Amino acid sequence: MRANAAARRHRWMLGPAVLLLAVVVVRAFFVTPFGIPSESMQDTLLVGDRLLVSRTTPADQLERGDIVVFDASEAFNLDVPQRGVLQRLVEAVESLAGKGQPTDYVKRIIGLPGDHVRCCAADGRLEVNGVAVTEPYLAAGARPSAIPFDVTVPPDRFWMMGDNRGASADSRAHLGEPGGGMVPGSDIIGKVWVRYWPLDRLGPVDQGQIASVPRNGE
């Protein structure tokens, strides 16, 4: 009788364990939930929005205008606090509901590897590889950047900017850091795919692609 009871308990535990393993695998390799913590991507993404981030797009297939989540600890020279085993476990559980690490940022790709990006062109727009680009995701009347910059993105690095340019600590804010605020492709967690909360804004997130411009030097 005791053996049968123990077997039933083990079977009861097996289902949740398999489910948890499946969730962890899906989150690690396919789709990651992410919650928007700040106003840096308004009005495209609002504080409290819950997103699914696809991890299946390789860095070399990302395009200008794509919205991505990335680990900014290296590119932005952020302090990473030491965490114990228990805290790591709690964070792992919280991540299943979309709570990212403090060093996880969401921004828009403006410059691809090799791009020459500067602000601003004679008409006030951002310039990529000598072409002034229109950014439809900016709020009406918003300046592309109050901070002048002129950068060439190194190989396997990306220039990131938030849509709310006046309230976004993005690549511009880290020009003086090692790496010049450029984000390594290996630190990109994934591409924003769909918003699942709030329900009245449910659906794919418009990436707002930047018009095609030539590669640097062409």
Side-chain angles (χ1 to χ4, degrees):
M1 293 293 291
R2 289 183 178 179
N4 290 339
R8 285 195 296 271
R9 284 198 300 271
H10 290 156
R11 285 196 297 270
W12 181 88
M13 296 172 59
L14 180 61
V18 170
L19 178 60
L20 178 60
L21 178 61
V23 169
V24 170
V25 170
V26 168
R27 186 185 183 280
F29 297 102
F30 300 103
V31 177
T32 297
F34 184 77
I36 299 300
S38 75
E39 300 176 350
S40 69
M41 284 296 293
Q42 287 186 182
D43 291 321
T44 306
L45 302 173
L46 305 181
V47 175
D49 280 359
R50 299 285 177 172
L51 313 171
L52 292 180
V53 177
S54 172
R55 303 182 72 117
T56 60
T57 303
D60 60 4
Q61 293 182 17
L62 293 169
E63 300 178 0
R64 299 183 197 93
D66 284 347
I67 304 172
V68 297
V69 174
F70 58 95
D71 177 3
S73 54
E74 176 186 340
F76 294 175
N77 195 29
L78 304 177
D79 291 331
V80 180
Q82 297 295 320
R83 303 184 301 277
V85 175
L86 180 59
Q87 186 174 359
R88 288 179 181 272
L89 179 61
V90 171
E91 290 175 351
V93 173
E94 290 177 338
S95 71
L96 298 178
K99 183 177 180 180
Q101 298 296 319
T103 56
D104 289 349
Y105 281 42
V106 57
K107 304 294 180 189
R108 190 182 297 273
I109 295 175
I110 302 298
L112 297 172
D115 279 349
H116 177 208
V117 187
R118 76 179 190 92
C119 183
C120 289
D123 62 2
R125 290 183 291 171
L126 288 188
E127 190 177 275
V128 181
N129 299 337
V131 177
V133 298
T134 299
E135 300 183 273
Y137 38 79
L138 296 184
R143 297 174 61 185
S145 179
I147 303 171
F149 61 88
D150 190 330
V151 299
T152 298
V153 186
D156 194 37
R157 298 261 174 166
F158 296 81
W159 179 261
M160 306 286 191
M161 298 177 72
D163 289 359
N164 188 3
R165 298 287 161 80
S168 176
D170 47 41
S171 291
R172 297 169 299 162
H174 299 277
L175 284 165
E177 305 286 356
M182 317 289 186
V183 177
S186 58
D187 288 346
I188 295 177
I189 296 169
K191 177 179 173 180
V192 170
W193 171 38
V194 68
R195 179 175 21 237
Y196 65 88
W197 186 264
L199 294 179
D200 61 352
R201 303 178 69 219
L202 176 70
V205 175
D206 183 7
Q207 297 290 325
Q209 297 296 332
I210 298 173
S212 179
V213 298
R215 290 185 177 276
N216 192 19
E218 291 183 355

